[in-house]
Amino acid sequence: MDIRNTVLRQLNNRREGFSLEQAFYTDPDYFKLDMETIWYRDWLFIGHDCEIPKAGNFFTVQIGDYPVVVVRGRDGVIRALHNSCRHRGSRVCNTERGASAKLVCPYHQWTYELDGSLLFARQMGEDFDKSQFSLKKVHCESVAGYIFVCLANVAPDFAPVRAMLDAYVGPHRLAEAKVAHQSTIIEKGNWKLVWENNRECYHCAGNHPELCRTYPEAPSVTGTQGAGDDPVIAAHWKHCEDAGLPSQFKMHESGQFRAARMPLIEGAVSYTMSGKPAVKKPLSSDVTVGNIGTMLLFHYPTTWNHMLGDHAITFRVLPLGPEETMVTTKWLVNKDAVEGVDYDLEELTHVWNETNDQDRRIVEENAFGIRSPAYEPGPYSPDHEGGVMQFVEWYTNFMIDRLEGDRTKLSVVA
Amino acid sequence: MSSVKKAPFKHVDEMLPWSDKEDMLECVGWTPEAPDTMTFTFRADKENRWFRYLPGQFVTLELPVGQETVMRTYTLSSSPSRPFMLAVTVKAQKDSVGTRWMQEHLYPGMKIKAHGPRGDFSYVRHPGEKYLFISAGSGITPMMSMTRDLGDREPDSDIAFIHCARSPNDIIFRSELEYKARYMPNFSLGLIVEQLERSQFWSGLKGRVDKAKIALLAPDFLDRTVFCCGPEPFMATVRESLETAGFDMSRYHQEAFATAAPIADMPIVVNEDKDAEPSFKVRFADSGKNVDCQPGFTVLQTARANGVRIGAACESGICGTCRVKCLSGKVDMQHNGGILDDEIDEGYILACCSRPLTDVEIEA
C-alpha cells in the first residue's frame, strides 16, 4: 500500500493524548515523508544575521538532501542559494562558514556573484548563455536577527512570523549581537522525540539539576495553556509590558509558533548556577527594565529560544536521519562584550551545555525504548504535557492537511 | 697490507652549512631498494660542509640529461640528524626521464647542482603529541626521513607507520622499518600490499587502504597528527577516511610526490615603452626565487615565466583563484570584484591583475 495512505490512515485514527506509533520515530520511509511534507515545505530557522555581518560572509547548512549557502551580498541583503554548481552539481561552498568576494566552485572555478548570478565560466563556447545558469535561489527572510529559509517552490506566508518576531524579539536587538559560543550535538533519536522532550518540563526535576536552579518547572511556563491564569505570570507580563516589552502568551492559529515572556525562579535573572547575570553588558540597550525573565519562542520544526536580559540562547534542530537529529545551540551576547572581561565563557554556557547533554541522553533512551517490539503509544500527562500534545497535534494536522492536499492534486491530474 | 685511505676528520661544529648557491652535491653511493627504486647518497663537494634541513623537505636536482638540463624535485629520505650526507630514494616510472637517467648514469664521483632543501612537510613545522605516517609507494621517503630523525632525536616518539605497496617486494626500506619497530618502543609498523605472487608468504594486510585498515593498524588515529604522501587517489582515500571518522583535519598534512604538470605556454603582455617603466624584483618566498618582473608584467605572468605555480582560472580579477599574499612592496591591482576589502587589508592580492609598483615579495 502507498506509504502516504498508510501514514494518513494512522494519523487519522490516532489515539488523542497518546504518543505516536513506533514507525513515526524509527521508519526511514516515514522519515522521508516527514522531510518532503514538512521540512522541504516550511520556513526553517537557519542562523543569525550577526553571523554574516559583512558582504561576502557566508555559512552553509545541509537540510535533508539539500545543501544550502546563506550569504550576505554587496548590497547588504542576505540571500540563500542552493549550494550546487550549475555546471556539474559540485558543492560551491564546502566549508561551514567563510568570507569570499565571489562564490567560486572549487571544481572548475565557475564564478558566481554573491547574489548567485553566474559571472564567469571558462571556455564554455561562444553560444554559452551565462544568464541561464545562475545558482538557484532559496526563499530567505530575515527578521529581528533571525534568518529563515524555505525550500518549497511556493513558500507559506511569512508575514505572521515576521509580525510576531518583530514585536517579541525585536527589542532584544539580536541583529547587532554576537555569537559568543556555539555547540552542536547529535542526538540519536527522531526529530519529533527531540521536540516532544523540549515541549514539557515534566522531566526537569529528575534530570536537569542545573537548569532547575533558575527555570520554573510549572507547566504553565513551558506548555501552551494556563499561563494567563497564573498570578505570578500575569504580574510578570504587566511588569514587562509596562516597560514596552510585548510579553503575553501569543500563539499563531496554526499552532506552529508562539512567544511568551516568562518569569524565572524568584531572584534569578539568567541561566547561571548563581542565577546572577552571566554577562556584565546588557544584551540590548532597548531593554531598560530589570527582571524580564526569559522570552520563550518556538517555531516548528526548527527552533526554540530563550531571551534574557544579559544574553540569548537559540536552538536549531535539523534531522539527519530517522533516528538522528542535530541540535545547534548559540549563545548571543552584546557585540561589545569581551570574553574574560564582561563574561566568563564557562559560566555563560555551563547550564545549557549540561542541560543539552542531559536532554540528549533522555532522547536517546527514549528512542532506545521505542525500538522495542513491545512499545505501544502511551498517555501524556494532562497536567504537565500539554505542550507535547500541542506539538503532536500540530504535526498531525500539518501532515494530514498536506497529504490530503497532495492526494487531491494527484486525483485531479489522473 | 692495503694502504689506509686518509679521510679528513672534522667535527660538525668545525664545519659550515652547505649552500645551494655555492656548493654542489657529489654522489658517493647508490643502493637498490626495490624494483626500479634506488637510493642515491651525496656529500658536499667541499670537505668542510654539513647539511642543514628539516626531515621531510625536498631538493631540486639539475640533471644533465642529454643536451639539456632537467630539473627534478625529490623528497629527501635521509635524516638531518646525520648531517654529513644527503640521500634521495627515487623510483623510475615507465615514462620517467630524469629518474631513469639517474638510475642509469649517476655514479659515485659525479657532481650535480641542487636547489634547496625546502618545504613545509615536516613534523618540525607541524608538531604533534603522536604521529600517523601514512604513505604509498615512493611517498615513503619523507616519512622515512622523519622516522630516522625522530629515532635519533626522540627514540620514544609515538609513531604509527602505515605503508602501502604493490607487493611485498615493492616495500621500500622494509628491513630498516622492522628494525625501527624493534628498537623504538612506541613505533608500530603496519604494511598493506595489493597483490602477492604465487607461493609468496605474507602475514600483513592485503588490499587497498581504507578506513577499516587505518583503524586496525592505528586504532587511536583520531588522536594523532597525520602526515600523508603518495599518489593523489591514495591521499584522497586517506583524507576521506579521516574526514568521515570525524578527524580534526587541521592535524592532517600531505605532500604530493608526483611532479606538477608542465606549465602551459602563455601569452605575455610586454609594455613596448621599456624605458618608461623600470623593472622590479619579485621574490617568491615559498619557492625561494628572486626574479625580475618585466615592465608591464603581472605577478602571475612573472610567476609563470619563472616556474612558480599559482592557480588561476579567469585571469581577469573575477574568480579570485589566484589570490596570494603580498608580503612586502606595492602593486597596482585592477580587479573586477574577485577579492574582499578585508582580504586586501590583510595583504592579499590577485596575482592575475596586479602589477608591481616596487620590489615585492609574494607568498608563493
Side-chain angles (χ1 to χ4, degrees), chain A residues 101-102 104 111, chain B residues 311 314 317-324 337-339 349-350 352:
Chain A
K102 306 287 172 203
V104 185
T111 302
Chain B
C314 76
I318 297 170
C319 76
T321 306
C322 63
R323 196 187 67 161
V324 289
I339 188 165
I349 60 165
L350 299 184
C352 73

Side-chain angles (χ1 to χ4, degrees), chain A residues 12-182:
Chain A
N12 276 320
N13 297 335
R14 177 177 78 93
R15 188 167 174 188
E16 216 159 306
F18 275 64
S19 58
L20 296 166
E21 301 279 347
Q22 183 190 52
F24 285 93
Y25 303 112
T26 57
D27 190 293
D29 289 333
Y30 282 54
F31 174 74
K32 197 161 167 264
L33 204 57
D34 276 3
M35 295 307 287
E36 290 166 2
T37 313
I38 290 186
W39 290 85
Y40 298 162
R41 293 174 65 168
D42 273 301
W43 285 104
L44 310 174
F45 161 65
I46 223 69
H48 294 288
D49 298 33
C50 66
E51 294 178 70
I52 45 173
K54 291 182 181 173
N57 289 172
F58 67 85
F59 63 82
T60 57
V61 65
Q62 182 75 25
I63 305 163
D65 290 335
Y66 292 89
V68 171
V69 56
V70 180
V71 58
R72 192 184 285 269
R74 282 180 194 278
D75 50 5
V77 174
I78 294 168
R79 294 180 180 85
L81 303 161
H82 284 285
N83 190 8
S84 171
C85 185
R86 294 298 305 281
H87 176 213
R88 282 164 55 196
S90 197
R91 271 201 303 176
V92 176
C93 297
N94 54 15
T95 54
E96 196 189 330
R97 54 187 66 247
S100 186
K102 306 287 172 203
L103 304 180
V104 185
C105 180
Y107 199 174
H108 304 93
Q109 289 75 46
W110 278 36
T111 302
Y112 300 90
E113 188 46 271
L114 298 176
D115 65 5
S117 53
L118 181 60
L119 284 177
F120 162 74
R122 192 156 47 100
Q123 292 164 2
M124 288 301 294
E126 299 258 311
D127 299 333
F128 180 67
D129 180 3
K130 282 190 300 207
S131 69
Q132 299 302 304
F133 298 98
S134 297
L135 288 179
K136 292 184 179 173
K137 288 185 164 52
V138 175
H139 298 286
C140 182
E141 295 277 357
S142 141
V143 53
Y146 281 69
I147 302 168
F148 283 79
V149 299
C150 177
L151 294 162
N153 288 332
V154 180
D157 184 11
F158 191 72
V161 186
R162 176 176 294 283
M164 193 182 287
L165 263 72
D166 253 340
Y168 281 78
V169 182
H172 296 281
R173 298 180 77 133
L174 292 189
E176 299 149 45
K178 72 164 180 184
V179 176
H181 184 67
Q182 81 168 52

Side-chain angles (χ1 to χ4, degrees), chain A residues 74 101, chain B residues 323-326 331 333 335 337-350:
Chain A
R74 282 180 194 278
Chain B
R323 196 187 67 161
V324 289
K325 200 157 197 177
C326 181
V331 297
M333 176 165 63
H335 69 86
I339 188 165
L340 291 170
D341 292 344
D342 283 356
E343 293 171 325
I344 297 171
D345 292 344
E346 285 164 26
Y348 287 97
I349 60 165
L350 299 184

